């Protein structure tokens, strides 16, 4: 079966009007993903779609999701067991071989921030809980037994620490933190970290079948239950509620999950005792006072309360969950949905949430996300393969091919496809070559105003160091947001020179052309050092398949991130600048052959004058008389293909002061960008 969906360039209204890049703490997708939980064994009967176990989904290794998963697997395999458990052993008074991951020299930049900062060991601990979850999820997604050995060794090392402490307590900081927590004294959220460790152990049990992990988390639960019990009996329940003003993460959630595994009602009531009433109560009465609450603290509590509903069927908790989603969806939502990289776990479960299933005599499978993958759908006795052709900006169709093989004769099941909100009404499906009708329930229309830009499901961001003013033209969106053609990458050039031992590239900063250290792709410097060649004779532009085809021709050089602008030479010995060509002839240069495979840029308006680099500055300089070899060297540049390259999903958007290159957020690495734009009509 094939499904074609037309991507609609969708303008969304969001509450943020400024340009700073923001964390997606309120991302609807993120919360949605957290709201359905892994490993739930017993629930009230209701219309819940069940998650397909991670172990039954495999990502296509050639897809970007498959590649991201592999990178993350290799990263997790690199971590050292002794270093990971170092501070746990220290706290338990056990020998500590190796060194702690404190002064971490991580090759993985995104994580480094977790390991430095004012309280290294505590931040590290939070990451530690993530490690347990991430490895469990990764193992379920790949069945890589090298990883299983490693994570099992970590769990065993922790078990030894727990046994040594002999109370059920397991942490890398002393119990004294909890004394202060219960006394309402200053302390850094100890339950937040404990929740992560407990959740990690639950994942190790549920996803990787490690029963030692279940035993450990149960002992931890008993230890903390006694602590809470003690606060309530010795003091008051109010005292306990007051202590919850300190961040407790998803303690309620992990206790509800544990209850579904153990069926022990003591676990259920401990979960209840972490449902923060002053917060959930507000939701229950639909008071929109969320803005005052710290999101990191409260999203996990709502996730836990949704779990309470799924387990107990208590309609109040359904109300609370719905009310929260409504409030968030209507006003507290940011646009960078699902792309935060601040939690390593998300890369370990990329196979998560692609498929859901519905039990019953005639079981159903729901294809929720279009990601190249295969599914071994056990209850439907079906092997399903999904192949997605990557989307590009110049072809607004998403093509998905689904191949189904039945494992059992004569069984029947239902396939459901999500028609995402970002498709137009022209989605088409064919089954074995025959068209089949499809119904789309979502007819929401474009909004008139726009602050973040989505192309289908992809959040587009603008390459910019600050400016974020868009010039919206009347009429169709396509008047001011246009796709970058697929062949433009072959028109890109970076020009370099060797000086001493270093390589410098022609670059620009604040509309002045400079020489900057030659940099790797995926950085702001690579963006600034890349230019697009535009042939002056526009009728032939399309014909160039590399910068080499432009040698001997008259060209303009457009900075990669400033579409519509170009290099300009204003006069002799004046620095080369960037502008939108007040006098077009100042931006014309002839690209000529220089020494030993280099190229030179000769001004068209001032013949015999060349772009000349000395001591980091770049000016127009004129040949005084032939034989000056210094002049030749300073005007000769090695030509390279553009260091930055356009992603297949790239657009140019017209701006008030500058135009923007828009690319999907996921395609960027360390480049500066803006997610939110101000609209001017
Ligand atoms: C686990 O993955 C790593 C990295 O891809 C690989 O080198 C190793 O052979 C795998 N282990 C097993 C048992 O497949
Ligand atoms: C979020 O809000 C939009 C626009 O009001 C609405 O169409 C959509 O159904 C809402 N989504 C959820 C999950 O409530
Ligand atoms: C260039 O490299 C050589 C040998 O590696 C070194 O001795 C010299 O100091 C370097 N020069 C500069 C300017 O960095």
């Amino acid at each position: 079966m094939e499904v074609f969906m037309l991507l609609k360039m969708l303008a969304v209204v969001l509450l943020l009007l400024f340009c700073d890049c923001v964390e997606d703490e309120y991302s609807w997708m993120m919360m949605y993903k957290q709201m359905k939980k892994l490993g739930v064994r017993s629930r009230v009967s209701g219309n819940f779609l069940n998650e397909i176990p991670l172990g039954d989904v495999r990502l296509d290794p050639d897809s970007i999701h498959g590649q991201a998963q592999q990178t993350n697997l290799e990263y997790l395999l690199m971590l050292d067991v002794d270093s990971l458990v170092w501070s746990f052993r220290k706290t338990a008074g056990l020998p500590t071989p190796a060194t702690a991951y404190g002064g971490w020299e991580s090759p993985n930049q995104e994580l480094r921030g977790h390991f430095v900062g004012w309280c290294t060991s505590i931040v590290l601990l939070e990451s530690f809980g993530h490690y347990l979850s991430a490895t469990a999820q990764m193992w379920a997604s790949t069945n890589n037994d090298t990883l299983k050995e490693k994570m099992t060794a970590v769990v065993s090392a922790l078990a030894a620490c727990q046994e040594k402490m002999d109370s059920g307590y397991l942490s890398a900081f002393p119990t004294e933190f909890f004394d202060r927590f219960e006394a309402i004294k200053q302390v850094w959220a100890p339950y937040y970290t404990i929740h992560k460790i407990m959740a990690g152990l639950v994942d190790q049990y549920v996803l990787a079948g490690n029963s030692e992990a279940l035993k450990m988390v149960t002992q931890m639960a008993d230890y903390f239950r006694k602590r809470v019990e003690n606060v309530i009996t010795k003091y008051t329940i109010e005292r306990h509620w007051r202590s919850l003003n300190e961040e407790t993460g998803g303690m309620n959630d992990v206790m509800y999950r544990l209850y579904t595994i153990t069926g022990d009602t003591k676990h259920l009531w401990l979960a209840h005792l972490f449902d923060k009433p002053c917060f959930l109560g507000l939701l229950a009465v639909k008071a929109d006072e969320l803005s005052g609450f710290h999101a990191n603290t409260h999203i996990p509590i709502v996730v836990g309360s949704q779990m309470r509903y799924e387990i107990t069927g208590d309609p109040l908790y359904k109300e609370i969950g719905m009310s929260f989603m409504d409030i968030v969806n209507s006003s507290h939502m940011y646009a960078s949905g699902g792309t935060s990289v601040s939690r390593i776990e998300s890369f370990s479960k990329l196979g998560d949430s692609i498929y859901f299933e519905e039990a019953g005599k005639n079981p159903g499978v729901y294809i929720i996300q279009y990601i190249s993958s295969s599914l071994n759908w056990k209850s439907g006795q079906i092997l399903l393969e999904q192949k997605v052709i990557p989307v590009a900006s110049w072809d607004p169709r998403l093509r998905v091919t689904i191949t189904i093989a039945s494992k059992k004769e004569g069984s029947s099941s239902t396939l459901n496809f999500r028609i995402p909100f970002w498709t137009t009404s022209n989605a088409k499906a064919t089954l074995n070559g025959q068209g089949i009708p499809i119904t789309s329930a979502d007819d929401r229309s474009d909004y008139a105003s726009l602050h973040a830009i989505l192309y289908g499901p992809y959040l587009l961001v603008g390459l910019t160091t600050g400016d974020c003013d868009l010039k919206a033209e009347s009429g169709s969106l396509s008047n001011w947001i246009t796709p970058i053609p697929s062949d433009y990458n072959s028109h890109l050039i970076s020009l370099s020179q060797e000086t001493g031992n270093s390589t410098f590239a022609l670059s620009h900063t604040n509309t002045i052309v400079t020489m900057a250290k030659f940099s790797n792709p995926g950085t702001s410097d690579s963006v600034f050092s890349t230019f697009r060649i535009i042939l002056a004779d526009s009728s032939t532009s399309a014909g160039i398949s590399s910068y080499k085809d432009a040698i001997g021709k008259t060209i303009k050089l457009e900075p990669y991130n400033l579409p519509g602008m170009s290099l300009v030479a204003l006069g002799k010995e004046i620095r080369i600048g960037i502008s939108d060509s007040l006098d077009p002839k100042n931006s014309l240069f002839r690209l000529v052959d220089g020494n030993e495979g280099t190229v030179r840029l000769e001004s068209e308006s001032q013949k015999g004058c060349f772009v000349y680099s000395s001591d980091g500055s770049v000016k127009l300089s004129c040949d005084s008389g032939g034989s000056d070899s210094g002049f030749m060297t300073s005007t000769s540049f090695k030509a390279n293909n553009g260091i930055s390259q356009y992603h297949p999903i790239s657009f140019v958007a017209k701006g008030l002061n500058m135009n923007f290159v828009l690319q999907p957020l996921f395609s960027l690495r360390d480049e500066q960008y803006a997610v939110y734009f101000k609209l001017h009509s």
Side-chain angles (χ1 to χ4, degrees), residues 498-509:
E498 307 283 333
T499 309
N501 295 344
S502 304
T503 306
F504 291 86
L506 192 78
S507 181
H508 63 93
T509 168

Side-chain angles (χ1 to χ4, degrees), residues 502-678:
S502 304
T503 306
F504 291 86
L506 192 78
S507 181
H508 63 93
T509 168
N510 298 327
T511 73
I512 298 288
V513 174
T514 57
M515 296 300 286
K517 267 269 171 71
F518 196 88
S519 52
N520 293 322
T523 60
S524 283
D525 285 338
S526 74
V527 167
F528 299 143
S529 302
T530 303
F531 297 86
R532 184 168 73 90
I533 295 171
I534 303 170
L535 296 184
D537 177 1
S538 60
S539 64
T540 58
S541 254
I544 65 171
S545 61
S546 123
Y547 65 81
K548 292 184 184 118
D549 297 339
I551 293 177
K553 303 212 160 79
T554 301
I555 63 167
K556 289 206 279 190
L557 283 179
E558 176 189 83
Y560 181 90
N561 63 323
L562 296 171
M565 299 214 184
S566 55
L567 246 67
V568 288
L570 292 174
K572 287 177 195 170
E573 300 305 315
I574 296 179
R575 294 189 73 164
I576 305 287
I578 303 281
S579 92
D580 48 8
S581 326
L582 304 171
D583 187 353
K585 73 177 191 309
N586 290 338
S587 61
L588 294 179
F589 297 88
R590 183 170 291 270
L591 191 65
V592 293
D593 267 323
N595 276 345
E596 294 162 14
T598 59
V599 295
R600 308 171 80 199
L601 290 164
E602 181 180 18
S603 166
E604 273 292 351
S605 57
Q606 305 182 62
K607 291 284 184 191
C609 301
F610 293 82
V611 172
Y612 177 104
S613 134
S614 79
D615 300 331
S617 81
V618 180
K619 59 185 181 181
L620 190 71
S621 205
C622 308
D623 202 350
S624 42
S627 63
D628 181 354
S629 74
F631 183 82
M632 192 67 182
T633 307
S634 295
T635 55
S636 296
F637 297 85
K638 180 169 178 279
N640 312 273
N641 291 325
I643 312 174
S644 286
Q645 295 277 307
Y646 298 110
H647 185 272
I649 304 174
S650 294
F651 295 84
V652 170
K654 285 189 188 162
L656 207 57
N657 315 304
M658 60 177 269
N659 299 331
F660 299 90
V661 169
L662 304 178
Q663 288 188 199
L665 179 55
F666 74 77
S667 71
L668 299 183
R669 274 176 272 172
D670 284 335
E671 297 94 332
Q672 278 181 278
Y673 62 86
V675 175
Y676 296 99
F677 294 91
K678 284 184 203 141

